């Protein structure tokens, strides 16, 4: 089931397929006497223009050795090195060509600096390149878009999060779902056709809430993925609603935190810097919509596809997937320690260290000094408790002064069990509502006049709802006690 994003990076995504007449404009024939090498240069140029950089590389290497200051030879050889992954050699020769104002050297140095997270050096290269080609009446709009994107990358890099990435593993994209061992208290991530078998669609993974009563997913709409949610009414899914009705971007891979208000997802729009980027949003105070998404910073996002962010609050770990530095068909799953404060890398850090942390060059460099992550890693890779034996104490049902039940199996009366399940479900709603009110109280205290005016009716309504839920809990618990006590009394009569 092909459900994950295709591989992508800045250079391959944005590189122009061809440069019409690029070699013809750059070659300076005057005074060059190549003799027996003339044919090899022509062959190298042909291979270069056709994009066969590996094959063209040896001829340009020989020529640049013979004429180390020739700007054209340095440019061609530098481009071949860049295209074949030898970035250090590429930079050396592209800089020689750049000193002699070779136009394409600016573009390739901008790409190289972008690939190595040196965005502060890439920006002026794009600016100079745009200025040069503008004089030749070349359409500069695509390159202005690249400049703007590089500036966004620079801001994102300088706001890199101080996150502890404690483990990683490379898997087949088709097997990615099987590597998320989510605790049952956080819900489930399931294949689309597993949740909606009658739909006939083969869309994104589906996040199902712990109660199993709500699903979040992406499916195709007008050629791109859009996010939707559905509620489960009795045994049927119904009432499908779009999460972002007015967003035409390709959005996918949703996950909702335990608060029921915080949504992680991946998007190819909303300012993405390369394929899918990770975003976070929260439900509005009035409960009517999700707010404008906020793009996560580096190292969560990169020049490749980054998606399927999941935070397991019960285990204290999080996962996200990325195809950065991976071959086709593979994806790397990163395990990290969530931090609600989302602290940033401190100012004044060494530039090279910042680049390495932003690019996630080594996960060990993100570890806290002296901390042992063995237990967290083991927990993260353990099946959720839905597949394990439950703890001995499941409930605390006070039946009477002499009897207290701690497991569901101890309840003998079927009606009593159903009544107490109803009470327990309402208690969970109370907990969520209390958390929401705590947030609203804080926002009300810190807010301005308009915010308070907006919050006041919401708070009053939720307070009334909370009182009503608490009354209902008492009523259902009373019904459960009466039913169970009747069963116990009847049993005593026959003893």
């Amino acid at each position: 089931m092909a459900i994950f994003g295709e591989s992508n990076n800045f250079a391959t995504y944005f590189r122009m397929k061809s440069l019409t007449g690029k070699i013809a404009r750059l070659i300076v024939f005057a005074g060059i006497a190549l003799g027996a090498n003339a044919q090899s240069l022509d062959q190298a140029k042909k291979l270069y223009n056709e994009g066969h950089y590996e094959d063209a590389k040896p001829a340009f290497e020989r020529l640049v050795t013979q004429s180390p200051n020739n700007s054209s030879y340095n440019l061609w050889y530098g481009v071949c090195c860049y295209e074949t992954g030898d970035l250090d050699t590429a930079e050396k020769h592209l800089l020689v060509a750049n000193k002699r104002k070779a136009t394409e050297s600016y573009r390739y140095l901008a790409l190289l600096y972008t690939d190595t997270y040196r965005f502060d050096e890439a920006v002026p290269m794009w600016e100079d390149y745009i200025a040069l080609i503008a004089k030749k009446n070349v359409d500069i709009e695509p390159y202005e878009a690249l400049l703007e994107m590089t500036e966004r990358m620079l801001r994102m890099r300088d706001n890199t999060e101080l996150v502890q990435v404690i483990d990683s593993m490379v898997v087949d994209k088709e097997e990615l779902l099987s590597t998320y061992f989510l605790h049952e208290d956080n819900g489930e991530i399931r294949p689309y056709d597993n949740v909606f078998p009658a739909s006939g669609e083969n869309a994104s993974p589906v996040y199902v809430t712990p109660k199993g009563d709500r699903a979040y997913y992406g499916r195709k709409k007008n050629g791109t993925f859009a996010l939707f949610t559905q509620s489960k009414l009795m045994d049927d899914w119904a009432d499908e609603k779009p999460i972002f009705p007015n967003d035409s971007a390709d959005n996918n891979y949703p996950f909702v935190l335990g608060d029921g208000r915080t949504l992680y997802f991946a998007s190819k729009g909303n300012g993405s810097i390369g394929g899918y980027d990770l975003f976070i949003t929260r439900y509005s105070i009035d409960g009517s919509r999700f707010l404008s998404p906020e793009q996560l910073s580096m190292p969560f996002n990169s020049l490749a596809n980054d998606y399927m962010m999941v935070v397991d609050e019960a285990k204290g770990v999080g996962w996200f997937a990325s195809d950065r530095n991976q071959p086709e068909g593979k994806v790397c799953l990163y395990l990290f320690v969530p931090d609600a404060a989302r602290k940033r890398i401190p100012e004044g850090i060494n530039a090279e260290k910042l680049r390495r942390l932003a690019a996630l060059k080594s996960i060990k460099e993100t570890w806290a000094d002296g901390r042992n992550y063995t237990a967290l890693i083991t927990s993260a890779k353990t099946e959720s408790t839905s597949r394990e034996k439950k703890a001995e104490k499941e409930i605390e049902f006070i039946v009477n002064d002499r009897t207290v039940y701690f497991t569901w199996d101890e309840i003998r009366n079927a009606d009593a069990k159903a009544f107490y399940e109803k009470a327990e479900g309402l208690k969970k709603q109370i907990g969520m509502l209390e958390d929401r009110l705590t947030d609203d109280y804080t926002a009300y205290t810190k807010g301005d006049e308009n915010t308070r005016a907006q919050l006041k009716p919401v708070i009053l309504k939720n307070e009334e709802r909370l009182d009503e839920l608490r009354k209902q809990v008492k009523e259902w618990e009373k019904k459960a006690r009466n039913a169970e006590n009747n069963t116990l009394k009847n049993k005593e009569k026959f003893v």
Side-chain angles (χ1 to χ4, degrees), residues 359-393:
L360 207 53
K361 286 292 186 181
S362 168
I363 64 172
K364 288 186 177 181
E365 292 181 3
T366 72
W367 295 358
D369 292 339
R371 183 166 180 185
N372 189 322
Y373 299 105
T374 303
L376 273 178
I377 295 172
T378 301
S379 174
K381 296 181 179 180
T382 302
E383 293 283 348
S384 73
T385 56
S386 62
R387 302 184 185 99
E388 299 171 353
K389 183 179 180 180
K390 292 185 179 233
E392 184 177 349
K393 184 178 178 180

Side-chain angles (χ1 to χ4, degrees), residues 97-109:
N98 189 257
K99 287 180 180 179
R100 289 159 176 77
K101 309 297 182 185
T103 302
E104 287 303 301
S105 68
Y106 293 91
R107 185 168 74 95
Y108 270 94
L109 281 169

